[in-house]
Every structure is written in C-alpha cells, then in structure tokens.
Amino acid sequence: MILQARSDGTIDLGDGRTVRCALGKAGVVAAADKREGDNRSPLGTWAIRQVLYRPDVYPDGPRTALPTAPIAPDDGWCDAPGDPSYNRPVKLPYPASAERMWRDDAVYDLVGILAHNDDPPVPGMGSAIFLHLARDGYPGTEGCVALARDDIEALLAKAAPGDAIGISEV
C-alpha cells in the first residue's frame, strides 16, 4: 500500500478517506534537490521502516504490523551532515547536532521513520524525514509528513511491512 500525501495538504488513507496533512514549510522538492534544513518535503515514495513511540503515551505500543520500538528521554536523531551518525538514531547528549525525540509538544509521541536518504545516508541530503503528529492548525513541517493523531493511528493500524508514504505535487 502506498498512501499519497499531496502538496495541497491532503493524504489518502487507503480506506476511501482523504484527510488533512502537513508537509514542509517551504513546500516540496525533488528528492535529488533535498538539502538539510531546507524545510521541504522530498518528492517520492518512502517506505515506512519502523514506528517509534512514547511508552508513557502508548503503554502497549501502537497497533501496527510494522516493526516498533519505544523511545526513551535520551533518544535523539543526528542531523549533522559531517557526523558519522548522520540521519541515524543517537543517545543524548550527543557531541554533534541531534534532534530530541522525546518532546514536550507530543509531535513525536508516534513517529514513522521514512526511508528517505537512509541506505546509506548521503551527508546534507536531508535527515529525520518522519511521519509524525501534526501540530494544531497543521503548520508546515521541517520536511516531514504530519497527520492528526486519529489519522496516523488509523494509517498505522492498516500498515504492513513494505507499505510507503508517497509525497507528490498536486
């Protein structure tokens, strides 16, 4: 199953429903032109590799057939292009720049790791392209795909290994 997120701010959930989503603050860009920190979502189809979740919010884990792992307060994701752990999970504190995964704003309570620039990561081509929870009002992301909690939970409940999120222009 490939669920298509479109630059008009909608995504088809594969069950006949089209719901709102947020993409990059600066829009979308061809994957080859994606750069670290450009606030653009990369066009293409990205497998959902794994689902990370906060165990205090989802004590039994999320409902999904995808591989899952709980996050801890010291989990981070390296976004420093010159670091050997670029676009990989790390433990905080980390000597290079890394995004905190355990957040107070609930955005990363449930995170699908998308297969953008990860096999192997190319420095500077974009890191931490996730499927995550949307903020109120669906403001743009730093390059991720964001959905309402109910919608991401419904998507993950139907998802299976090999399923993907497509990011496309309208």
Side-chain angles (χ1 to χ4, degrees):
M1 167 173 72
I2 298 174
L3 304 174
Q4 205 62 44
R6 293 180 294 275
S7 61
D8 68 357
T10 61
I11 186 170
D12 295 321
L13 291 184
D15 59 4
R17 290 188 307 141
T18 299
V19 299
R20 195 169 175 191
C21 73
L23 295 175
K25 294 173 196 172
V28 297
V29 65
D33 296 328
K34 172 76 180 136
R35 296 296 179 266
E36 186 67 40
D38 67 3
N39 292 317
R40 294 175 187 242
S41 296
L43 294 168
T45 301
W46 314 108
I48 307 169
R49 299 270 196 222
Q50 182 181 32
V51 177
L52 305 178
Y53 65 93
R54 281 190 50 159
D56 60 326
V57 178
Y58 294 93
D60 297 325
R63 251 189 29 203
T64 187
L66 295 167
T68 63
I71 59 171
D74 64 346
D75 283 337
W77 200 273
C78 182
D79 57 8
D83 192 84
S85 292
Y86 178 64
N87 201 26
R88 298 275 188 241
V90 295
K91 288 295 184 182
L92 302 174
Y94 190 74
S97 177
E99 188 171 1
R100 179 170 297 284
M101 297 301 294
W102 189 281
R103 297 170 54 135
D104 294 332
D105 64 5
V107 171
Y108 287 173
D109 285 0
L110 196 55
V111 175
I113 300 170
L114 300 183
H116 173 265
N117 191 32
D118 69 340
D119 190 22
V122 175
M125 296 295 289
S127 66
I129 305 299
F130 297 141
L131 171 66
H132 64 70
L133 299 175
R135 291 180 177 86
D136 290 341
Y138 294 85
T141 69
E142 293 183 19
C144 299
V145 178
L147 301 172
R149 186 178 300 270
D150 289 346
D151 295 334
I152 198 170
E153 287 174 352
L155 182 157
L156 293 174
K158 291 183 299 206
D163 287 352
I165 300 293
I167 300 173
S168 66
E169 295 184 279
V170 176

